[in-house]
Amino acid sequence: MSQCLNPDCLQLNSKTTFCQKCGSKLLLTDRYRALEILGQGGFGRTFLAVDEHKPSQPYCVIKQFLPQAQGTNNQQKAEELFKQEAIQLEQLGKHQQIPELFAYFIQDHRQYLVQEYIEGQNLAQELAETGAFSEAKIINLLGDLLPVLAFIHQKPVIHRDIKPENIIRRKSDNKLVLVDFGAAKAATRTALAVTGTVIGSAGYVAPEQAVGKPTFASDLYSLGVTCIHLLTNIEPFDLFDVNEGDWVWRNYLKVNVNNTLGRVLDKLLQQVTKKRFQTAQEVLEALQFTPSATWVNYGQLEQLLKAGKWKEADEETTNKMLEVARRTKEGWLRVEDIDNFPCEDLRTIDQLWVKYSDGRFGFSVQKHIYQSLKGTRSYDRKVWSAFGDQVGWRVGGSWLYHTDLKFNQTAPEGHLPSVGDKTVSIGWDGVGVVWGLEARYKKRKRKWVVVSSLASRLVDCKI
């Protein structure tokens, strides 16, 4: 089917070129075909669509400018904000938890932008379906979203409309994705000094934003309101006592909230901007999340290691390394990714493994073994085989499959992390787990060459 984009028609058609009712062209820029209406807001409609220029015809989202605001000034401002969303998405670049901008154009005197389709429920829908969030879900939400806020604030951009409807839990990996940058504001020194348009969603807007003076802390306030709404399943207006001028969210709790999380939420919700957290990093530190140079959250890895869930921790390590290197879609690391891997993140991963394995596992343990065998950056088959024998990745001269490794503390020292089954090298003599390395498939006399770089990076980072 093909959805007509003419606001006065919206006829559903068969897959044709022109609308059978009004004659409007159905393909945008002869490429994007709308399938159905996803929703409508103050600035326009969104449509589920397909990109017919690509062989797989992947889904995407078309946003059509269709303002509800009345009056010339309001119309002009609405047009500016719509275009601004495209500009903000383009300037933000690629982030795995922000929809990617594909196109922005004008057709039939209407503005359109096309962006990545995120399959999944938004948190408002999830709340309606499952009820109030648990403490653990709120902690995971903060751990997932705070790095995204840190990323956009570094650009520097203020989102200005954080609420459950604008946070989607992506179906493919359960990651939270921040959407709808239509209200986003470039936070230049000049822009912050001028009172701007009051924008945002009632109930979630910080006091300073409500008078046109948003700051980075305004997004943190809205995130705090989002958390207490999800935690209580009570609308924000009912969680604020106007007589006391304070939030009374604890009165509506049906689950336990630990003191650390409670204090963090209270500080996020401070009416006075200066009394609030000023940066996302401050919130992460208050929640005692482990450090990361790339705003990646290692809380889940720490919990898995603490619980002795070695296989799950091994897989999480792989996922986090791919996330840091922004190679999740590709599913493997290149040598240059490892050569440029942030020392802070590498150190954090190593310290977590060493700490919870009582010194048996970790990259630094593996590096020590590798160097004791005279291993260097250059590939040496004998050294690599000896290393595999010592850490238990090779048995009887054959490399083990990832599924055959020992995911317990009786495994040899240095056995873990193996960096998961996404970095497996396939050779003529079997399958060998590559030590977080790229497998360069160069055929030389029926042999595969594996090029090591992690050991050198550990040395560079003094790990």
Side-chain angles (χ1 to χ4, degrees):
M1 298 297 287
S2 189
Q3 173 82 58
C4 178
L5 292 162
N6 180 349
D8 300 318
C9 179
L10 299 178
Q11 170 81 10
L12 275 174
N13 300 267
S14 58
K15 196 174 180 181
T16 58
T17 305
F18 297 96
C19 177
Q20 297 165 350
K21 182 179 178 181
C22 70
S24 296
K25 198 172 183 179
L26 294 175
L27 279 178
L28 288 177
T29 64
D30 295 320
R31 177 170 185 170
Y32 303 105
R33 182 183 298 277
L35 302 178
E36 61 180 85
I37 298 172
L38 289 176
Q40 182 166 331
F43 292 148
R45 288 195 180 97
T46 57
F47 300 84
L48 177 64
V50 291
D51 182 352
E52 295 199 345
H53 267 206
K54 295 184 177 180
S56 62
Q57 296 197 359
Y59 286 127
C60 56
V61 170
I62 294 171
K63 297 191 76 170
Q64 177 192 57
F65 177 60
L66 190 69
Q68 304 302 308
Q70 301 298 316
T72 304
N73 290 339
N74 289 338
Q75 175 82 8
Q76 184 177 356
K77 186 61 185 179
E79 288 179 7
E80 290 174 6
L81 288 169
F82 189 85
K83 184 176 181 179
Q84 181 177 290
E85 177 172 11
I87 293 171
Q88 300 292 9
L89 285 172
E90 182 180 31
Q91 290 179 344
L92 285 172
K94 291 186 178 182
H95 187 287
Q96 293 179 8
Q97 289 169 263
I98 297 173
E100 182 180 352
L101 177 70
F102 294 147
Y104 169 77
F105 51 85
I106 295 174
Q107 181 169 310
D108 298 328
H109 308 292
R110 299 187 191 96
Q111 294 182 77
Y112 291 94
L113 64 83
V114 182
Q115 64 185 36
E116 179 185 2
Y117 171 62
I118 308 297
E119 184 180 5
Q121 286 186 319
N122 67 46
L123 294 191
Q125 295 168 325
E126 187 174 320
L127 180 67
E129 187 174 295
T130 64
F133 281 30
S134 66
E135 176 191 66
K137 284 184 75 172
I138 295 297
I139 292 173
N140 287 336
L141 180 155
L142 289 168
D144 224 7
L145 271 188
L146 284 166
V148 183
L149 281 183
F151 174 81
I152 69 170
H153 289 171
Q154 282 181 331
K155 288 304 178 175
V157 169
I158 306 169
H159 187 276
R160 294 201 298 179
D161 199 18
I162 292 173
K163 58 182 179 179
E165 290 83 353
N166 286 340
I167 304 168
I168 296 176
R169 191 180 300 281
R170 187 163 51 205
K171 186 177 180 181
S172 61
D173 60 3
N174 279 329
K175 282 283 186 184
L176 296 179
V177 179
L178 186 59
V179 303
D180 199 345
F181 282 75
K185 179 184 179 74
T188 61
R189 183 174 296 180
T190 302
L192 292 176
V194 177
T195 300
T197 304
V198 177
I199 196 166
S201 297
Y204 297 92
V205 178
E208 68 280 2
Q209 185 175 325
V211 294
K213 291 281 191 178
T215 68
F216 298 128
S218 305
D219 279 347
L220 298 177
Y221 180 94
S222 299
L223 180 60
V225 179
T226 295
C227 286
I228 61 172
H229 173 45
L230 296 172
L231 199 54
T232 61
N233 202 4
I234 302 293
E235 291 297 322
F237 285 120
D238 296 323
L239 295 173
F240 189 82
D241 188 329
V242 291
N243 294 320
E244 297 296 328
D246 202 5
W247 293 96
V248 290
W249 59 274
R250 282 182 174 80
N251 296 348
Y252 298 90
L253 282 178
K254 295 181 181 178
V255 296
N256 293 324
V257 172
N258 68 57
N259 291 334
T260 299
L261 177 59
R263 286 193 295 269
V264 165
L265 293 176
D266 286 336
K267 192 167 181 178
L268 285 169
L269 297 166
Q270 286 292 319
Q271 298 292 294
V272 179
T273 311
K274 290 182 180 179
K275 292 183 178 181
R276 207 179 301 149
F277 289 107
Q278 300 302 298
T279 67
Q281 180 62 22
E282 287 181 16
V283 190
L284 287 166
E285 290 172 359
L287 288 166
Q288 300 174 2
F289 283 140
T290 45
S292 166
T294 51
W295 310 108
V296 169
N297 174 25
Y298 292 104
Q300 178 68 8
L301 175 60
E302 182 165 17
Q303 292 304 312
L304 291 170
L305 288 167
K306 191 174 183 179
K309 296 182 178 180
W310 307 110
K311 184 175 182 180
E312 292 87 346
D314 194 53
E315 293 168 352
E316 179 71 359
T317 299
T318 302
N319 293 333
K320 289 303 174 186
M321 291 186 73
L322 292 170
E323 186 178 343
V324 168
R326 297 191 182 179
R327 297 280 297 174
T328 299
K329 289 182 180 179
E330 292 79 3
W332 53 281
L333 298 175
R334 301 165 299 182
V335 166
E336 54 262 42
D337 297 321
I338 300 168
D339 285 344
N340 296 302
F341 203 89
C343 292
E344 188 173 352
D345 290 82
L346 200 57
R347 188 174 292 107
T348 292
I349 295 170
D350 178 59
Q351 287 175 348
L352 289 174
W353 274 96
V354 171
K355 176 181 177 180
Y356 291 106
S357 67
D358 294 327
R360 294 188 63 80
F361 305 142
F363 292 139
S364 57
V365 178
Q366 294 169 342
K367 183 196 77 169
H368 178 74
I369 295 170
Y370 187 67
Q371 290 183 323
S372 72
L373 297 168
K374 310 301 182 185
T376 65
R377 185 182 180 91
S378 300
Y379 173 71
D380 185 308
R381 182 183 180 86
K382 289 183 178 179
V383 171
W384 184 244
S385 296
F387 176 77
D389 290 336
Q390 190 158 334
V391 300
W393 293 351
R394 221 171 72 117
V395 176
S398 297
W399 292 93
L400 299 178
Y401 286 93
H402 179 257
T403 52
D404 293 329
L405 298 180
K406 293 182 179 180
F407 295 102
N408 56 62
Q409 280 195 289
T410 64
E413 286 191 13
H415 193 67
L416 299 173
S418 71
V419 200
D421 57 359
K422 295 182 180 179
T423 45
V424 171
S425 163
I426 303 175
W428 289 102
D429 55 351
V431 179
V433 178
V434 179
W435 183 33
L437 316 175
E438 173 189 15
R440 285 190 174 176
Y441 302 126
K442 295 179 180 177
K443 193 174 181 182
R444 293 180 183 172
K445 297 181 180 178
R446 294 176 60 84
K447 294 178 181 178
W448 298 93
V449 179
V450 179
V451 184
S452 167
S453 64
L454 182 56
S456 294
R457 189 59 181 158
L458 291 166
V459 172
D460 293 341
C461 294
K462 299 178 181 179
I463 295 173

